[in-house]
Amino acid sequence: MEENEVARALAALAQTLRLQIFRVLVVAGRTGMTPGALTEHLGVPGTTLSFHLKELANAGLVTQERLGRYLIYRASFEHMNELLGYLTANCCQGTECLDRMVASCKD
């Protein structure tokens, strides 16, 4: 994952409602949710939801699929995992973080 993709994803998640939308879609899993279900769950107007879904999609964090007359939105787990991998690639210089934290507490 390139830095500009990381920055775009983090910028998209830096807005409270978009973060909430993304987290709800992560919980929904591969089933995803329709905009109507998201609107009902989050209590936001459809136009507001639509704007934020577009921003998340532009950042690669959500996907959209048409099933008949319904749109289904899903968290892009692949993109999310790439983002998390990028953020933690050099964590604790390649050692287990928990082991390092425990060792530093003993000092």
Short mmCIF file of all heavy atoms in Angstrom, two decimals, residues 59-106:
data_model
loop_
_atom_site.label_atom_id
_atom_site.label_comp_id
_atom_site.label_asym_id
_atom_site.label_seq_id
_atom_site.Cartn_x
_atom_site.Cartn_y
_atom_site.Cartn_z
N ALA A 59 -12.03 6.33 -0.87
CA ALA A 59 -10.84 5.97 -0.12
C ALA A 59 -10.57 4.46 -0.17
O ALA A 59 -9.58 3.99 0.38
CB ALA A 59 -10.98 6.42 1.34
N GLY A 60 -11.46 3.71 -0.82
CA GLY A 60 -11.28 2.27 -0.95
C GLY A 60 -11.69 1.47 0.27
O GLY A 60 -11.42 0.28 0.36
N LEU A 61 -12.38 2.11 1.21
CA LEU A 61 -12.73 1.44 2.46
C LEU A 61 -14.06 0.71 2.40
O LEU A 61 -14.31 -0.18 3.23
CB LEU A 61 -12.75 2.45 3.61
CG LEU A 61 -11.37 3.02 3.96
CD1 LEU A 61 -11.51 4.24 4.85
CD2 LEU A 61 -10.52 1.96 4.62
N VAL A 62 -14.92 1.05 1.46
CA VAL A 62 -16.18 0.33 1.30
C VAL A 62 -16.39 0.01 -0.18
O VAL A 62 -15.87 0.69 -1.06
CB VAL A 62 -17.42 1.11 1.83
CG1 VAL A 62 -17.27 1.42 3.31
CG2 VAL A 62 -17.68 2.35 1.04
N THR A 63 -17.14 -1.06 -0.40
CA THR A 63 -17.51 -1.42 -1.77
C THR A 63 -19.02 -1.34 -1.88
O THR A 63 -19.74 -1.37 -0.88
CB THR A 63 -17.05 -2.85 -2.12
OG1 THR A 63 -17.69 -3.78 -1.23
CG2 THR A 63 -15.54 -2.98 -2.01
N GLN A 64 -19.46 -1.24 -3.10
CA GLN A 64 -20.90 -1.15 -3.39
C GLN A 64 -21.24 -2.20 -4.43
O GLN A 64 -20.52 -2.37 -5.41
CB GLN A 64 -21.21 0.24 -3.93
CG GLN A 64 -22.59 0.42 -4.44
CD GLN A 64 -22.75 1.75 -5.17
OE1 GLN A 64 -21.80 2.46 -5.43
NE2 GLN A 64 -23.96 2.08 -5.51
N GLU A 65 -22.34 -2.92 -4.20
CA GLU A 65 -22.80 -3.92 -5.16
C GLU A 65 -24.30 -3.75 -5.35
O GLU A 65 -25.04 -3.52 -4.40
CB GLU A 65 -22.51 -5.33 -4.63
CG GLU A 65 -22.98 -6.42 -5.56
CD GLU A 65 -22.78 -7.81 -4.97
OE1 GLU A 65 -22.37 -7.95 -3.81
OE2 GLU A 65 -23.07 -8.77 -5.70
N ARG A 66 -24.73 -3.84 -6.59
CA ARG A 66 -26.16 -3.77 -6.88
C ARG A 66 -26.71 -5.19 -6.94
O ARG A 66 -26.22 -6.04 -7.67
CB ARG A 66 -26.40 -3.06 -8.20
CG ARG A 66 -27.90 -2.97 -8.53
CD ARG A 66 -28.20 -2.02 -9.65
NE ARG A 66 -27.97 -0.63 -9.34
CZ ARG A 66 -28.77 0.15 -8.60
NH1 ARG A 66 -29.84 -0.36 -8.06
NH2 ARG A 66 -28.50 1.42 -8.41
N LEU A 67 -27.72 -5.44 -6.11
CA LEU A 67 -28.43 -6.72 -6.12
C LEU A 67 -29.88 -6.40 -6.43
O LEU A 67 -30.63 -5.95 -5.57
CB LEU A 67 -28.33 -7.43 -4.77
CG LEU A 67 -26.98 -8.04 -4.42
CD1 LEU A 67 -27.00 -8.61 -3.01
CD2 LEU A 67 -26.60 -9.11 -5.41
N GLY A 68 -30.26 -6.61 -7.70
CA GLY A 68 -31.61 -6.23 -8.12
C GLY A 68 -31.76 -4.73 -8.02
O GLY A 68 -30.98 -3.98 -8.57
N ARG A 69 -32.74 -4.29 -7.26
CA ARG A 69 -32.92 -2.85 -7.12
C ARG A 69 -32.28 -2.29 -5.85
O ARG A 69 -32.44 -1.13 -5.51
CB ARG A 69 -34.40 -2.49 -7.16
CG ARG A 69 -35.26 -3.29 -6.26
CD ARG A 69 -36.73 -2.98 -6.42
NE ARG A 69 -37.37 -3.25 -5.14
CZ ARG A 69 -38.15 -2.43 -4.50
NH1 ARG A 69 -38.45 -1.28 -5.01
NH2 ARG A 69 -38.65 -2.76 -3.35
N TYR A 70 -31.54 -3.14 -5.14
CA TYR A 70 -30.90 -2.72 -3.90
C TYR A 70 -29.39 -2.51 -4.09
O TYR A 70 -28.75 -3.21 -4.85
CB TYR A 70 -31.09 -3.78 -2.80
CG TYR A 70 -32.53 -3.96 -2.42
CD1 TYR A 70 -33.26 -5.03 -2.91
CD2 TYR A 70 -33.16 -3.05 -1.58
CE1 TYR A 70 -34.59 -5.20 -2.56
CE2 TYR A 70 -34.49 -3.21 -1.22
CZ TYR A 70 -35.20 -4.28 -1.73
OH TYR A 70 -36.51 -4.44 -1.39
N LEU A 71 -28.87 -1.55 -3.35
CA LEU A 71 -27.42 -1.38 -3.25
C LEU A 71 -26.99 -1.97 -1.91
O LEU A 71 -27.64 -1.76 -0.89
CB LEU A 71 -27.03 0.10 -3.28
CG LEU A 71 -27.24 0.84 -4.60
CD1 LEU A 71 -26.92 2.32 -4.43
CD2 LEU A 71 -26.37 0.23 -5.68
N ILE A 72 -25.91 -2.71 -1.95
CA ILE A 72 -25.36 -3.29 -0.73
C ILE A 72 -23.97 -2.70 -0.55
O ILE A 72 -23.13 -2.76 -1.45
CB ILE A 72 -25.25 -4.83 -0.82
CG1 ILE A 72 -26.60 -5.46 -1.16
CG2 ILE A 72 -24.67 -5.41 0.47
CD1 ILE A 72 -27.67 -5.27 -0.12
N TYR A 73 -23.74 -2.15 0.63
CA TYR A 73 -22.42 -1.62 0.97
C TYR A 73 -21.75 -2.56 1.94
O TYR A 73 -22.38 -3.10 2.85
CB TYR A 73 -22.54 -0.22 1.59
CG TYR A 73 -22.85 0.84 0.58
CD1 TYR A 73 -24.17 1.16 0.27
CD2 TYR A 73 -21.83 1.50 -0.09
CE1 TYR A 73 -24.47 2.12 -0.68
CE2 TYR A 73 -22.12 2.46 -1.05
CZ TYR A 73 -23.43 2.77 -1.33
OH TYR A 73 -23.71 3.72 -2.28
N ARG A 74 -20.46 -2.77 1.71
CA ARG A 74 -19.66 -3.64 2.58
C ARG A 74 -18.34 -2.96 2.88
O ARG A 74 -17.80 -2.23 2.04
CB ARG A 74 -19.36 -4.97 1.88
CG ARG A 74 -20.55 -5.82 1.60
CD ARG A 74 -20.14 -7.13 0.91
NE ARG A 74 -21.31 -7.91 0.59
CZ ARG A 74 -21.96 -7.85 -0.57
NH1 ARG A 74 -21.53 -7.05 -1.54
NH2 ARG A 74 -23.03 -8.59 -0.78
N ALA A 75 -17.81 -3.24 4.06
CA ALA A 75 -16.45 -2.81 4.37
C ALA A 75 -15.51 -3.59 3.47
O ALA A 75 -15.71 -4.78 3.24
CB ALA A 75 -16.13 -3.07 5.83
N SER A 76 -14.50 -2.92 2.96
CA SER A 76 -13.49 -3.59 2.15
C SER A 76 -12.44 -4.16 3.10
O SER A 76 -11.50 -3.46 3.50
CB SER A 76 -12.85 -2.62 1.16
OG SER A 76 -11.79 -3.26 0.48
N PHE A 77 -12.63 -5.41 3.49
CA PHE A 77 -11.73 -6.02 4.46
C PHE A 77 -10.31 -6.13 3.92
O PHE A 77 -9.35 -6.00 4.68
CB PHE A 77 -12.26 -7.39 4.89
CG PHE A 77 -13.52 -7.27 5.71
CD1 PHE A 77 -14.76 -7.50 5.14
CD2 PHE A 77 -13.46 -6.90 7.04
CE1 PHE A 77 -15.92 -7.37 5.88
CE2 PHE A 77 -14.62 -6.77 7.80
CZ PHE A 77 -15.85 -7.00 7.21
N GLU A 78 -10.17 -6.34 2.64
CA GLU A 78 -8.84 -6.42 2.04
C GLU A 78 -8.11 -5.09 2.21
O GLU A 78 -6.95 -5.05 2.63
CB GLU A 78 -8.95 -6.78 0.56
CG GLU A 78 -7.60 -6.89 -0.13
CD GLU A 78 -7.75 -7.26 -1.60
OE1 GLU A 78 -8.43 -8.26 -1.88
OE2 GLU A 78 -7.18 -6.54 -2.43
N HIS A 79 -8.79 -4.00 1.88
CA HIS A 79 -8.18 -2.68 2.01
C HIS A 79 -7.90 -2.35 3.48
O HIS A 79 -6.85 -1.80 3.82
CB HIS A 79 -9.09 -1.62 1.38
CG HIS A 79 -8.40 -0.35 1.05
ND1 HIS A 79 -7.55 -0.22 -0.02
CD2 HIS A 79 -8.41 0.86 1.67
CE1 HIS A 79 -7.08 1.01 -0.06
NE2 HIS A 79 -7.58 1.69 0.97
N MET A 80 -8.83 -2.70 4.36
CA MET A 80 -8.66 -2.47 5.78
C MET A 80 -7.43 -3.23 6.30
O MET A 80 -6.61 -2.67 7.04
CB MET A 80 -9.90 -2.92 6.55
CG MET A 80 -9.79 -2.77 8.05
SD MET A 80 -11.18 -3.51 8.94
CE MET A 80 -10.83 -5.26 8.76
N ASN A 81 -7.28 -4.48 5.89
CA ASN A 81 -6.13 -5.27 6.33
C ASN A 81 -4.82 -4.72 5.79
O ASN A 81 -3.80 -4.74 6.48
CB ASN A 81 -6.32 -6.74 5.96
CG ASN A 81 -7.37 -7.40 6.81
OD1 ASN A 81 -7.62 -7.00 7.94
ND2 ASN A 81 -8.01 -8.43 6.27
N GLU A 82 -4.84 -4.23 4.55
CA GLU A 82 -3.64 -3.60 3.99
C GLU A 82 -3.28 -2.35 4.78
O GLU A 82 -2.10 -2.11 5.06
CB GLU A 82 -3.86 -3.24 2.53
CG GLU A 82 -3.87 -4.42 1.59
CD GLU A 82 -4.20 -4.02 0.15
OE1 GLU A 82 -4.25 -2.80 -0.15
OE2 GLU A 82 -4.40 -4.93 -0.66
N LEU A 83 -4.28 -1.56 5.14
CA LEU A 83 -4.05 -0.35 5.92
C LEU A 83 -3.46 -0.70 7.29
O LEU A 83 -2.47 -0.11 7.72
CB LEU A 83 -5.36 0.44 6.08
CG LEU A 83 -5.31 1.69 6.95
CD1 LEU A 83 -4.35 2.71 6.37
CD2 LEU A 83 -6.72 2.29 7.08
N LEU A 84 -4.07 -1.66 7.97
CA LEU A 84 -3.55 -2.08 9.27
C LEU A 84 -2.14 -2.66 9.16
O LEU A 84 -1.29 -2.40 10.00
CB LEU A 84 -4.49 -3.10 9.91
CG LEU A 84 -5.84 -2.55 10.34
CD1 LEU A 84 -6.77 -3.68 10.77
CD2 LEU A 84 -5.69 -1.52 11.44
N GLY A 85 -1.91 -3.41 8.11
CA GLY A 85 -0.58 -3.97 7.87
C GLY A 85 0.46 -2.88 7.66
O GLY A 85 1.57 -2.94 8.19
N TYR A 86 0.09 -1.87 6.89
CA TYR A 86 0.99 -0.75 6.64
C TYR A 86 1.31 -0.02 7.95
O TYR A 86 2.46 0.31 8.23
CB TYR A 86 0.37 0.24 5.65
CG TYR A 86 1.25 1.43 5.38
CD1 TYR A 86 2.21 1.39 4.37
CD2 TYR A 86 1.14 2.59 6.14
CE1 TYR A 86 3.03 2.48 4.13
CE2 TYR A 86 1.96 3.68 5.91
CZ TYR A 86 2.90 3.62 4.91
OH TYR A 86 3.72 4.70 4.68
N LEU A 87 0.27 0.21 8.76
CA LEU A 87 0.46 0.96 10.00
C LEU A 87 1.28 0.20 11.03
O LEU A 87 1.95 0.80 11.87
CB LEU A 87 -0.91 1.32 10.61
CG LEU A 87 -1.74 2.32 9.81
CD1 LEU A 87 -3.13 2.44 10.42
CD2 LEU A 87 -1.04 3.68 9.76
N THR A 88 1.26 -1.13 10.97
CA THR A 88 1.96 -1.92 11.98
C THR A 88 3.16 -2.68 11.43
O THR A 88 3.76 -3.48 12.15
CB THR A 88 0.99 -2.92 12.63
OG1 THR A 88 0.45 -3.78 11.62
CG2 THR A 88 -0.13 -2.21 13.36
N ALA A 89 3.55 -2.41 10.20
CA ALA A 89 4.62 -3.18 9.54
C ALA A 89 5.92 -3.18 10.33
O ALA A 89 6.61 -4.19 10.39
CB ALA A 89 4.85 -2.66 8.13
N ASN A 90 6.27 -2.08 10.92
CA ASN A 90 7.54 -2.00 11.64
C ASN A 90 7.33 -1.83 13.14
O ASN A 90 8.19 -1.30 13.84
CB ASN A 90 8.38 -0.85 11.08
CG ASN A 90 8.72 -1.10 9.63
OD1 ASN A 90 9.17 -2.18 9.28
ND2 ASN A 90 8.47 -0.12 8.79
N CYS A 91 6.20 -2.29 13.60
CA CYS A 91 5.86 -2.17 15.01
C CYS A 91 6.92 -2.84 15.88
O CYS A 91 7.30 -3.99 15.62
CB CYS A 91 4.49 -2.80 15.26
SG CYS A 91 3.94 -2.66 16.95
N CYS A 92 7.39 -2.13 16.86
CA CYS A 92 8.35 -2.68 17.83
C CYS A 92 9.56 -3.30 17.15
O CYS A 92 10.12 -4.29 17.61
CB CYS A 92 7.67 -3.68 18.76
SG CYS A 92 6.34 -2.94 19.71
N GLN A 93 9.94 -2.75 16.03
CA GLN A 93 11.12 -3.18 15.27
C GLN A 93 11.10 -4.68 14.95
O GLN A 93 12.11 -5.36 15.00
CB GLN A 93 12.39 -2.78 16.00
CG GLN A 93 12.48 -1.29 16.19
CD GLN A 93 13.64 -0.89 17.07
OE1 GLN A 93 14.37 -1.72 17.60
NE2 GLN A 93 13.81 0.41 17.22
N GLY A 94 9.90 -5.19 14.68
CA GLY A 94 9.77 -6.58 14.25
C GLY A 94 9.61 -7.59 15.37
O GLY A 94 9.43 -8.77 15.12
N THR A 95 9.67 -7.15 16.63
CA THR A 95 9.46 -8.08 17.74
C THR A 95 8.00 -8.02 18.16
O THR A 95 7.27 -7.11 17.79
CB THR A 95 10.35 -7.73 18.95
OG1 THR A 95 9.98 -6.43 19.43
CG2 THR A 95 11.82 -7.76 18.58
N GLU A 96 7.59 -8.96 18.94
CA GLU A 96 6.22 -8.96 19.43
C GLU A 96 6.02 -7.77 20.37
O GLU A 96 6.76 -7.60 21.33
CB GLU A 96 5.91 -10.26 20.18
CG GLU A 96 5.83 -11.47 19.27
CD GLU A 96 4.63 -11.41 18.34
OE1 GLU A 96 3.55 -10.95 18.76
OE2 GLU A 96 4.79 -11.83 17.18
N CYS A 97 5.02 -6.95 20.09
CA CYS A 97 4.78 -5.74 20.87
C CYS A 97 4.47 -6.05 22.33
O CYS A 97 4.98 -5.40 23.23
CB CYS A 97 3.63 -4.94 20.27
SG CYS A 97 4.03 -4.28 18.66
N LEU A 98 3.65 -7.05 22.57
CA LEU A 98 3.28 -7.37 23.94
C LEU A 98 4.50 -7.80 24.74
O LEU A 98 4.70 -7.37 25.87
CB LEU A 98 2.21 -8.46 23.96
CG LEU A 98 1.65 -8.82 25.32
CD1 LEU A 98 1.05 -7.58 26.00
CD2 LEU A 98 0.60 -9.90 25.20
N ASP A 99 5.37 -8.63 24.15
CA ASP A 99 6.58 -9.07 24.83
C ASP A 99 7.45 -7.87 25.17
O ASP A 99 8.02 -7.78 26.25
CB ASP A 99 7.38 -10.05 23.97
CG ASP A 99 6.66 -11.38 23.80
OD1 ASP A 99 5.73 -11.67 24.58
OD2 ASP A 99 7.01 -12.11 22.86
N ARG A 100 7.55 -6.94 24.25
CA ARG A 100 8.37 -5.75 24.46
C ARG A 100 7.79 -4.89 25.57
O ARG A 100 8.52 -4.35 26.40
CB ARG A 100 8.45 -4.95 23.16
CG ARG A 100 9.26 -3.69 23.29
CD ARG A 100 9.48 -3.15 21.92
NE ARG A 100 10.72 -3.74 21.53
CZ ARG A 100 11.73 -3.09 21.00
NH1 ARG A 100 11.62 -1.88 20.69
NH2 ARG A 100 12.86 -3.64 20.73
N MET A 101 6.46 -4.75 25.62
CA MET A 101 5.82 -3.94 26.66
C MET A 101 6.03 -4.59 28.03
O MET A 101 6.33 -3.91 29.01
CB MET A 101 4.33 -3.78 26.37
CG MET A 101 4.03 -2.84 25.24
SD MET A 101 2.28 -2.76 24.79
CE MET A 101 1.50 -2.47 26.34
N VAL A 102 5.90 -5.90 28.11
CA VAL A 102 6.08 -6.60 29.37
C VAL A 102 7.52 -6.43 29.85
O VAL A 102 7.78 -6.16 31.02
CB VAL A 102 5.71 -8.09 29.23
CG1 VAL A 102 6.14 -8.89 30.44
CG2 VAL A 102 4.22 -8.23 28.99
N ALA A 103 8.46 -6.57 28.93
CA ALA A 103 9.86 -6.43 29.28
C ALA A 103 10.18 -5.02 29.78
O ALA A 103 10.92 -4.85 30.75
CB ALA A 103 10.75 -6.77 28.09
N SER A 104 9.59 -4.01 29.15
CA SER A 104 9.85 -2.62 29.58
C SER A 104 9.22 -2.34 30.93
O SER A 104 9.74 -1.52 31.69
CB SER A 104 9.38 -1.62 28.53
OG SER A 104 7.98 -1.63 28.46
N CYS A 105 8.14 -3.02 31.28
CA CYS A 105 7.52 -2.82 32.59
C CYS A 105 8.37 -3.44 33.71
O CYS A 105 8.30 -2.98 34.85
CB CYS A 105 6.11 -3.44 32.61
SG CYS A 105 4.94 -2.54 31.61
N LYS A 106 9.13 -4.45 33.38
CA LYS A 106 9.98 -5.12 34.38
C LYS A 106 11.22 -4.29 34.70
O LYS A 106 11.81 -4.47 35.75
CB LYS A 106 10.39 -6.51 33.90
CG LYS A 106 9.22 -7.48 33.84
CD LYS A 106 9.68 -8.83 33.34
CE LYS A 106 8.52 -9.79 33.25
NZ LYS A 106 8.92 -11.08 32.73
#
